[in-house]
Amino acid sequence: MLLLMGTGMMFGWAKPVPVNTRNLRVPRRDMMLVAAAGPAANMTIALVAALLFHLVPYLPDSIGEWAGTTLWYTIWFNVILAIFNMLPLPPLDGGKVAVGLLPYRQAMKLESLERFGYMTVIGLFMILPRLLENAGIDFPIGSWLIFYPANIMAELLFYITGHGL
């Protein structure tokens, strides 16, 4: 997806995880928690990587450079994944969280869009920007919704883990 958006980066496409809602005590609330678990795991991995950054100066130069680069990419990719997945678009995790937060009628309307979700995401992030670019309009929606917030979040992670800004 990111490669097609012109970022020069690429990673695999996630498969939806089936969840049996009959196993949930309070289905709306618990589904939000299940959906938020993936992005929370991404942020936890990014936090651990930021903490491990403190060890880089103690490594030999050849290994330290590799470790620092690897940790930086670990932080960056996990923050991007967390932010992207929390966009309130079905079938992304943020869509499931939004369904749990919205009043019932609006939640059902949003949930009904899930079957068109991947087409919506592809259209919004790949097709629409290209069409507008051909019309001479700059529309960097990926930067606005994902990369700018990811940069802020990564800087915040470095700050709260004691690396300063």
Side-chain angles (χ1 to χ4, degrees), residues 3 9 14 49 51 81 83 123 130 146:
L3 183 64
M9 295 186 293
L51 288 168
L81 285 171
I83 290 173
R130 296 294 182 248
I146 300 168

Side-chain angles (χ1 to χ4, degrees), residues 52-53 55-57 59-74:
L52 288 172
F53 230 95
L55 300 177
V56 171
L59 298 171
D61 289 341
S62 59
I63 296 171
E65 184 178 332
W66 171 84
T69 301
T70 301
L71 289 170
W72 187 87
Y73 279 116
T74 299

Side-chain angles (χ1 to χ4, degrees), residues 16-154:
V17 177
V19 176
N20 186 348
T21 55
R22 288 178 282 184
N23 292 333
L24 304 176
R25 289 187 182 150
V26 183
R28 278 182 62 139
R29 182 204 63 200
D30 294 347
M31 193 62 208
M32 285 188 342
L33 296 174
V34 168
N42 289 123
M43 292 307 296
T44 302
I45 292 167
L47 177 65
V48 169
L51 288 168
L52 288 172
F53 230 95
H54 285 288
L55 300 177
V56 171
Y58 300 105
L59 298 171
D61 289 341
S62 59
I63 296 171
E65 184 178 332
W66 171 84
T69 301
T70 301
L71 289 170
W72 187 87
Y73 279 116
T74 299
I75 294 163
W76 185 240
F77 285 138
N78 277 282
V79 169
I80 287 171
L81 285 171
I83 290 173
F84 176 76
N85 281 317
M86 283 307 292
L87 292 175
L89 299 169
L92 302 176
D93 294 325
K96 291 180 179 20
V97 171
V99 165
L101 292 173
L102 288 170
Y104 185 77
R105 179 174 277 162
Q106 288 85 356
M108 292 305 103
K109 287 181 182 178
L110 182 61
E111 192 171 44
S112 72
L113 299 175
E114 185 164 358
R115 62 186 159 168
F116 306 110
Y118 289 114
M119 290 184 295
T120 303
V121 170
I122 289 169
L124 186 62
F125 288 99
M126 292 189 296
I127 297 171
L128 182 60
R130 296 294 182 248
L131 290 174
L132 291 173
E133 183 180 311
N134 290 340
I137 300 169
D138 187 28
F139 190 71
I141 193 164
S143 293
W144 295 336
L145 295 179
I146 300 168
F147 297 112
Y148 293 147
N151 191 47
I152 293 167
M153 185 61 70

